Amino acid sequence: MFNKPKSPAPERPSNALPIPPLPDLPSPGLNRAPAPVPAAAPSPIASSRGLSTLSSDLQFEGNISGSGDLQIDGAIKGDVRVGRLIVGETGAVEGNVTADYLEVRGRIVGGVSGKQVKLVSTAYVDGDITAEQLSIDIGAYFQGRVLQSRREAPAPIAPAPRPAPPVAEIETAPAVAAPAEDKPQIIDLKSV
């Protein structure tokens, strides 16, 4: 359909300084040994669904909610309610945080609630934590109360009430005013 004419690449003057590569991409022209990348422990989020990231140069004001996975490396002023959350070392949240799985490496000022909450050694949390499982590494800062929540067990199912055994009906004769003298009264009992 459409053809774009190929133009030759512009030549660089011989006295020009080389352009440094981006930190995470290899340089095509330079033959340097790749810098060793520190091995980080794989997070449970990385292996699951797609991870949304709020990068370190972003600031967000307002509430965030959803069922997905989120990594916060920037700053948020507002409540966060997601399925899984990582607050990175440069991340900061000023508000309440709720997530099924929460790993804190950065700073949270506000209440924290989740099924699994992990405070890594670089974490700073100023607020109450409500969690089923809580892990706090040595070096993490935490100021607040901890409330351990338990999964609510389903209500026990009560057995159905048994029907009452049949009751014999008692048939009585109509009451007759007794004369002054006492006569025995006759009552007929018939079973049904």
Side-chain angles (χ1 to χ4, degrees), residues 42-53 65-71 81-86 98-102 115:
S43 72
I45 293 180
S47 63
S48 64
R49 305 172 289 206
L51 175 68
S52 298
T53 303
S65 64
S67 61
D69 302 340
L70 176 65
Q71 178 164 344
R81 179 183 294 268
V82 292
R84 293 177 175 223
L85 176 67
I86 293 177
T98 303
D100 289 339
Y101 174 83
L102 173 64
K115 291 181 181 176

Side-chain angles (χ1 to χ4, degrees), residues 2-92:
F2 297 102
N3 290 329
K4 181 178 177 184
K6 295 185 178 182
S7 60
E11 293 184 26
R12 287 191 354 219
S14 61
N15 62 354
L17 294 173
I19 299 172
L22 293 174
D24 60 344
L25 297 176
S27 173
L30 299 175
N31 291 331
R32 281 192 274 167
V37 178
S43 72
I45 293 180
S47 63
S48 64
R49 305 172 289 206
L51 175 68
S52 298
T53 303
L54 181 73
S55 65
S56 61
D57 58 345
L58 294 177
Q59 294 182 357
F60 184 84
E61 288 190 34
N63 298 334
I64 295 177
S65 64
S67 61
D69 302 340
L70 176 65
Q71 178 164 344
I72 299 172
D73 291 326
I76 293 180
K77 284 187 179 181
D79 296 341
V80 178
R81 179 183 294 268
V82 292
R84 293 177 175 223
L85 176 67
I86 293 177
V87 178
E89 290 185 19
T90 60

Side-chain angles (χ1 to χ4, degrees), residues 115 132 149-156:
K115 291 181 181 176
E132 289 179 21
S149 65
R150 300 260 184 213
R151 289 185 183 169
E152 293 182 18

Side-chain angles (χ1 to χ4, degrees), residues 80-175:
V80 178
R81 179 183 294 268
V82 292
R84 293 177 175 223
L85 176 67
I86 293 177
V87 178
E89 290 185 19
T90 60
V93 177
E94 192 175 320
N96 295 323
V97 174
T98 303
D100 289 339
Y101 174 83
L102 173 64
E103 183 175 311
V104 182
R105 298 177 179 274
R107 179 181 182 93
I108 295 178
V109 177
V112 173
S113 178
K115 291 181 181 176
Q116 293 180 356
V117 176
K118 181 176 184 179
L119 305 184
V120 180
S121 63
T122 57
Y124 177 98
V125 176
D126 188 359
D128 296 344
I129 296 177
T130 303
E132 289 179 21
Q133 297 176 358
L134 174 64
S135 169
I136 302 177
D137 288 352
I138 294 173
Y141 176 83
F142 168 63
Q143 175 71 38
R145 296 180 302 166
V146 175
L147 303 167
Q148 185 176 15
S149 65
R150 300 260 184 213
R151 289 185 183 169
E152 293 182 18
I157 299 173
R162 295 182 182 169
V167 178
E169 290 185 21
I170 301 175
E171 191 175 303
T172 60

